[in-house]
Amino acid sequence: MRRILVVGGGPSGLQLALGLLAEDYDVTLVSPHGPQDVRDGGVLSTQCLFGPALRRLRRHGLFPWDDRAPAIGGVSVRVADARGGSEPTLSFAGRLAEPARSVDQRLALPAWMDLFTRAGGRHLRRSADADDLERLAADHELVVVAAGRGGLSGLFPLRTERSPFTAPQRSLMLAYVRGADPHPGGALLSRTAVPGAGEVFTLPVYSLDGVCDAVLVEAVAGGPLERHLPEGAGAGEVLAGVLDAVRAHAPWEYERLAGARLADPRAALRGGYTPAVREPVAHLSDGTPVLGMADTVVANDPVTAQGANMASLCADVYRRAIVDQGPGPFDESFMRAAFAAYWRHARHVTAWSRVMLTGPRHVWQLYRLAQRHQGTADRFADSFADPSGLIDWFLHPERATAYMEDVRRAAPARTSDVPIS
Ligand SMILES: Cc1cc2nc3c(=O)[nH]c(=O)nc-3n(C[C@H](O)[C@H](O)[C@H](O)COP(=O)(O)OP(=O)(O)OC[C@H]3O[C@@H](n4cnc5c(N)ncnc54)[C@H](O)[C@@H]3O)c2cc1C
């Protein structure tokens, strides 16, 4: 049995560890947290998963929440009046071909950890440093680092040409709330863009105590959406900051959130991080190569709601690469090839995230088109499920212009006022 070490018990590490166990590998997972720690901990993400990621999870028996997590039928986009008007200047909703769903990672990760240990996986409860990796690597044929954006990701050199940002592009405040009125368009991933200032997202989430709403404020630093919370601010203060920003800049969302209260005492998060693409292989001090996965080596801002989807894709791509390698060596060239297969998809998300963070003029023009052309609205919504087609019409100004001209020539104007549920 080939011995694989997976460092990090987030969605990427756990999905890879479980996938390899099912293929009869001997898998050790290193993670400081056990299932109960994660359940008792703070909110981690909004983790909206789209069709392909959900299908992958179901295929492996890892998504038992279809009957409880609301089916998110579309993506709504509203653009706020930068001067603070009470109505959006623009509004459309695109339909998703397959519903998306969000299950609190505080439920999903413990469930997957339990499955892992029940299926015979070994869980080492610790936070690994580079010396640990070196010691553990001696007993394993392959080390995969799935430790997210912090600590160990620094072992993997930055690819500066793929990492244009040198600071966090958004300051994040997230709260899960109860007591909100339903979105008038049904269960949607709702996105309000505040030009030059950031975004407000809402979506329904299946969380610890049932269904609630996640409200995420993504504020440009120093801009009007940002709220300066004290160091060590508690969940209640984060919620107050979220509601204050939403009331001032997305009043149509605030209307339904006015009675909102925290879904549980740890249902809030704040922070921010610099998007980064790193080398896929790090060398430990004795020269041993280790393979980085998901956020450890490709971290995008949550503005496109893709990181957990990509974590699942990366787990699938790496599992296949490992299995296809048969008895062959897990050397540096294997690692680079595995990452290259992942990057073929991940690069679209990185390019899209950059466009959404910087908001070039053509994006606002595409939104205006989507408001009166349902096909464009639907195409935008489905890009969350598969961003690879965005290169043909969304990412570059020239292609966007050509697309808009094609639509104007070919399609009759239609408004997108059909509710999606
Ligand atoms: C506010 C917010 C909203 C988001 N919304 C969405 C969304 O709607 N849709 C979406 O697809 N994505 C979303 N994301 C992104 C998504 O949550 C992440 O991209 C995803 O969780 C990354 O998975 P991962 O396994 O690579 O890393 P992580 O989830 O960060 O997991 C890493 C794990 O490694 C462990 N670890 C860290 N260091 C060590 C160490 N030294 N030794 C051992 N273990 C270690 C950590 O404890 C953690 O359990 C959002 C993120 C944020 C912050």
Side-chain angles (χ1 to χ4, degrees):
M1 245 191 212
R2 303 199 77 176
R3 291 166 66 85
I4 315 274
L5 183 77
V6 177
V7 182
S12 67
L14 277 166
Q15 286 174 54
L16 177 64
L18 282 159
L20 290 174
L21 266 189
E23 301 273 3
D24 278 340
Y25 288 78
D26 178 317
V27 187
T28 302
L29 179 78
V30 183
S31 163
H33 309 296
Q36 198 58 43
D37 305 324
V38 179
R39 261 183 229 115
D40 292 344
V43 152
L44 297 161
S45 176
T46 58
Q47 71 270 309
C48 186
L49 294 176
F50 298 91
L54 289 172
R55 266 187 276 130
R56 219 176 282 124
L57 286 167
R58 288 181 194 120
R59 210 164 41 238
H60 294 287
L62 299 180
F63 198 83
W65 299 284
D66 274 311
D67 57 341
R68 283 157 285 169
I72 298 173
V75 177
S76 127
V77 174
R78 287 183 274 201
V79 176
D81 181 346
R83 288 167 312 237
S86 62
E87 295 297 325
T89 58
L90 186 158
S91 171
F92 68 87
R95 299 179 183 87
L96 286 163
E98 288 172 78
R101 293 178 203 267
S102 172
V103 173
D104 194 333
Q105 285 186 355
R106 294 177 298 171
L107 287 174
L109 300 178
W112 296 338
M113 279 181 194
D114 284 339
L115 279 178
F116 175 76
T117 41
R118 263 190 271 129
R122 222 175 0 262
H123 182 176
L124 295 183
R125 289 280 294 275
R126 71 170 84 145
S127 178
D129 61 16
D131 291 340
D132 289 322
L133 290 191
E134 215 167 287
R135 268 193 302 279
L136 290 163
D139 282 338
H140 294 85
E141 292 177 70
L142 172 65
V143 175
V144 182
V145 180
R149 301 175 299 267
L152 291 178
S153 71
L155 295 175
F156 298 82
L158 195 66
R159 290 286 298 262
T160 46
E161 77 288 5
R162 290 177 177 171
S163 308
F165 302 116
T166 54
Q169 296 302 291
R170 296 290 188 269
S171 158
L172 310 173
M173 291 188 299
L174 167 65
Y176 285 10
V177 299
R178 302 188 159 280
D181 293 335
H183 192 290
L188 296 174
L189 173 63
S190 165
R191 178 180 194 278
T192 292
V194 187
E199 300 79 18
V200 172
F201 292 89
T202 67
L203 68 155
V205 176
Y206 181 63
S207 182
L208 304 181
D209 299 319
V211 176
C212 65
D213 285 274
V215 189
L216 170 64
V217 175
E218 291 235 340
V220 172
L225 265 181
E226 191 175 35
R227 294 294 175 273
H228 294 283
L229 302 178
E231 195 65 30
E237 288 166 285
V238 177
L239 174 63
V242 164
L243 293 179
D244 190 51
V246 174
R247 185 177 46 74
H249 296 282
W252 43 90
E253 291 286 10
Y254 185 75
E255 271 173 27
R256 59 189 199 89
L257 293 172
R261 58 190 190 284
L262 278 177
D264 66 77
R266 302 188 63 100
L269 164 77
R270 64 190 281 234
Y273 56 90
T274 307
V277 178
R278 297 177 179 279
E279 284 288 342
V281 180
H283 291 94
L284 305 178
S285 59
D286 64 356
T288 305
V290 297
L291 172 63
M293 89 179 288
D295 270 19
T296 296
V297 286
V298 183
N300 293 302
D301 187 275
V303 72
T304 48
Q306 293 295 304
N309 292 272
M310 297 313 286
S312 150
L313 179 73
C314 194
D316 205 48
V317 170
Y318 281 14
R319 178 184 51 78
R320 282 167 199 255
I322 289 166
V323 172
D324 288 351
Q325 189 68 352
F330 294 130
D331 54 12
E332 182 166 347
S333 72
F334 159 80
M335 293 179 184
R336 290 194 177 278
F339 176 77
Y342 173 58
W343 179 246
R344 275 197 285 281
H345 304 275
R347 70 196 169 96
H348 297 291
V349 173
T350 298
W352 184 29
S353 302
R354 189 165 11 181
V355 168
M356 297 301 268
L357 286 171
T358 53
R361 196 161 152 262
H362 71 269
V363 167
W364 308 100
Q365 293 169 335
L366 285 165
Y367 287 169
R368 273 196 288 283
L369 176 66
Q371 179 168 241
R372 59 181 188 77
H373 180 243
Q374 190 60 44
T376 299
D378 293 346
R379 191 172 184 185
F380 178 72
D382 258 331
S383 298
F384 284 80
D386 178 10
S388 64
L390 286 162
I391 195 157
D392 299 326
W393 69 288
F394 195 93
L395 299 185
H396 302 291
E398 313 81 50
R399 291 187 198 168
T401 305
Y403 171 76
M404 288 186 276
E405 279 165 9
D406 283 353
V407 171
R408 282 189 194 111
R409 261 197 306 272
R414 277 202 1 230
T415 51
S416 62
D417 55 0
V418 186
I420 295 175
S421 51

